[in-house]
Amino acid sequence: MLHLGAQGGWNVCRGVHGAHRGDLRAAGLDPARGGEAVIANLVGLALAAGVAVFMVAALLFPERF
């Protein structure tokens, strides 16, 4: 829904956080997360690599699977 903004123009982003409008955020890690995203990405990478190795082995040696 369109709303008339404070400067007189139409504001289509009313109620949207500033970062979603293209504003810059402060650099650095989010202290509330504490690196959880990095650990989750590393675990996902390890699982994906394990599945890839398993699939290649199953294609090369189908009689063992």
Side-chain angles (χ1 to χ4, degrees), residues 26-55:
L29 295 175
D30 184 8
R33 301 256 340 205
E36 294 172 5
V38 174
I39 294 171
N41 285 339
L42 291 175
V43 169
L45 177 64
L47 289 174
V51 169
V53 168
F54 176 78
M55 296 301 287

Side-chain angles (χ1 to χ4, degrees), residues 1-64:
M1 180 181 250
L2 294 173
H3 299 279
L4 189 57
Q7 287 84 17
W10 291 100
N11 184 4
V12 295
C13 298
R14 182 178 159 198
V16 177
H17 189 270
H20 297 291
R21 289 190 301 262
D23 295 342
L24 296 177
R25 298 186 313 174
L29 295 175
D30 184 8
R33 301 256 340 205
E36 294 172 5
V38 174
I39 294 171
N41 285 339
L42 291 175
V43 169
L45 177 64
L47 289 174
V51 169
V53 168
F54 176 78
M55 296 301 287
V56 169
L59 284 172
L60 293 177
F61 309 106
E63 65 278 357
R64 293 188 182 185

